[in-house]
């Protein structure tokens, strides 16, 4: 419960920190409404639309309403998918407004002790430290490989958890060993005639839980003619912090990453996770009030490129790629599409793979409901969105769903598990799928 004093502080901070010009840019035209999943899933509730949320922010700034629990609730229910931005005729940067509003609320309200401990553990004690991420992932690996996971499944203990959490436990990838996670090279040569020198943003979850996908990405880039540098000093991109009202920690992580990459003399900084890439290209906005770092952030941003965009630029799709016959569809990563503007390149690559019968899924650009930790903290709405996504998957009659973000990948695997389609339908990251195509071609050429 937010106290009267906390509400006043939050309201004052809204007046000081919210970009009123950006709030006024919203013309209330409603073009954003058909693109907003929570507006649709809530039964067309205005307060759960981008237009409605901007109106609430403006009302708080103007002192018309208090920043009460209802305002906080509607902001929390937003996925942050930013599908409203590409369709907005005024170019409103809704994502920036949402992050600022959430940060103001979270930094100026008193959380309960359990919530404070959890937030401090996750945001300050875990994600900023890659060694700790490795330790946690290694514990998960021990759980998977020791037989404990099988014993837990047979014991029925998982039935004590919510259904979504039980299903999520079943779809977690087989994680690497500690030795594999620590055995990360810092420099790899091109395996074809060198065309580019690039740096690879390895990420936190991507370089632990999804290490094999990172390895696949690196192999693809090498075969495309890239010399690759992987700086050890890099860390978590800060997206989780920025989206969850912890902007100061997000800024600190951003500065560390900029410093880690800025002297490498590379053509591009490559990402393979849509959510990470979108936050990285927003570093200039994140640090706009810091004269020392703003221009450094601009220079950093200009080099960020998704792996699919680089592969298409280097004509990787003209290679002889082949997989076993299967019907393939693609689920867009919201942030890769809506923030980075990358959506054609993944499709170009998938359509170039022999044996892959590509089918464009209806509403492939609509959020799957993952949205970072949204599927954990807002499970009801997330599963409602996922159920509708799985209806579109069924209509596509695909046997393989390809996506380009770890959260989306786990969410689609969760959908497959919930629908009882394991063994019939699979979800895979585009890097892993393209590596299958490359290895199929290399095997066939022997």
């Amino acid at each position: 419960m937010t106290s009267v004093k906390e509400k006043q502080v939050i309201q004052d901070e809204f007046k000081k920190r919210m970009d009123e010009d950006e709030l006024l840019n919203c013309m209330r035209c409603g073009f954003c409404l058909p693109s907003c999943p929570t507006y649709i899933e809530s039964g067309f509730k205005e307060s759960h639309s981008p237009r409605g949320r901007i109106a609430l922010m403006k009302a708080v700034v103007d002192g018309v309403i208090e920043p009460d629990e209802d305002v906080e609730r509607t902001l929390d229910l937003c996925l942050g998918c930013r599908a409203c931005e590409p369709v907005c005729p005024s170019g409103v940067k809704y994502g920036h407004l949402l992050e600022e509003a959430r940060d103001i609320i979270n930094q100026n309200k008193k959380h309960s002790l359990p919530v404070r401990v959890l937030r401090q553990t996750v945001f300050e004690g875990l994600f900023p430290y890659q060694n700790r991420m490795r330790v946690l992932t290694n514990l998960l690996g021990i759980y998977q490989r020791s037989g404990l996971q099988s014993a837990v499944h047979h014991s029925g203990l998982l039935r004590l958890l919510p259904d979504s959490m039980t299903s999520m436990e079943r779809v977690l990838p087989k994680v690497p060993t500690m030795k594999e996670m620590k055995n990360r090279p810092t420099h790899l040569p091109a395996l074809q005639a060198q065309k580019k020198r690039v740096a690879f943003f390895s990420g936190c979850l991507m370089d632990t839980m999804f290490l094999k996908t990172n390895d696949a990405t690196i192999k693809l880039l090498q075969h495309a003619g890239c010399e690759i540098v992987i700086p050890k000093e890099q860390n978590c991109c800060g997206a989780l912090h920025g989206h969850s009202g912890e902007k100061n920690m997000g800024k600190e992580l951003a500065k560390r990453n900029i410093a880690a990459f800025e002297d490498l003399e590379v053509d591009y900084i490559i990402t393979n996770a849509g959510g990470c890439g979108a936050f990285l290209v927003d570093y200039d906005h994140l640090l706009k009030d810091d004269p020392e770092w703003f221009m450094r952030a601009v220079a950093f941003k200009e080099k960020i490129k998704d792996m699919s965009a680089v592969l298409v630029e280097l004509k990787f799709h003209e290679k002889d790629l082949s997989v076993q016959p299967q019907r393939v569809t693609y689920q867009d990563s919201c942030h890769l599409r809506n923030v980075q503007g990358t959506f054609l390149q993944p499709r170009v690559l998938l359509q170039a793979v022999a044996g892959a019968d590509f089918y464009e899924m209806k509403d492939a650009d609509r959020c799957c409901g993952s949205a970072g930790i949204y599927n954990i903290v807002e499970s009801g709405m997330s599963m409602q969105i996922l159920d509708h996504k799985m209806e579109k998957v069924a209509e596509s009659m695909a046997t393989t769903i390809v996506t380009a973000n770890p959260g989306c990948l786990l969410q689609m695997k969760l959908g497959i598990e919930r629908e009882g389609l394991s063994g019939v339908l699979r979800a895979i990251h585009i890097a892993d799928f393209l590596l299958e195509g490359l290895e199929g071609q290399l095997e066939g050429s022997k």
Side-chain angles (χ1 to χ4, degrees), residues 1-52:
M1 196 77 171
T2 309
S3 69
V4 174
K5 183 178 179 181
E6 286 169 342
K7 288 178 184 177
Q8 186 59 58
V9 172
I10 290 170
Q11 192 142 36
D12 291 343
E13 287 296 301
F14 261 70
K15 290 177 182 178
K16 280 196 292 186
R17 289 174 50 183
M18 294 301 294
D19 187 336
E20 194 157 9
D21 288 339
E22 199 68 60
L23 290 170
L24 290 170
N25 276 344
C26 177
M27 301 185 299
R28 314 291 189 263
C29 65
F31 278 30
C32 59
L33 301 182
S35 70
C36 179
T38 54
Y39 173 71
I40 295 167
E41 296 295 341
S42 67
F44 309 108
K45 190 173 181 180
E46 178 70 18
S47 63
H48 292 341
S49 72
R51 179 177 69 179

Side-chain angles (χ1 to χ4, degrees), residues 176 284 333 413:
D284 59 336
S333 156
K413 287 188 173 189

Side-chain angles (χ1 to χ4, degrees), residues 199 301 372 407 446:
K301 167 184 179 173
K446 290 181 180 178

Side-chain angles (χ1 to χ4, degrees), residues 335-391:
H335 286 162
L336 183 59
R337 183 183 184 110
N338 299 327
V339 182
Q340 293 178 263
T342 301
F343 54 92
L344 291 176
Q345 295 93 327
R347 291 166 168 83
V348 168
L349 291 164
L350 293 176
Q351 291 176 45
V353 181
D357 174 21
F358 181 78
Y359 183 87
E360 183 67 38
M361 176 171 57
K362 186 178 180 183
D363 295 335
D365 59 342
R366 183 162 292 171
C367 186
C368 63
S370 171
I373 58 172
Y374 186 94
N375 56 1
I376 298 173
V377 298
E378 297 290 349
S379 178
M381 178 62 79
S382 175
M383 294 304 103
Q384 191 175 327
I385 292 169
L386 178 59
D387 287 343
H388 287 163
K389 177 62 66 176
M390 294 309 295
E391 291 174 7

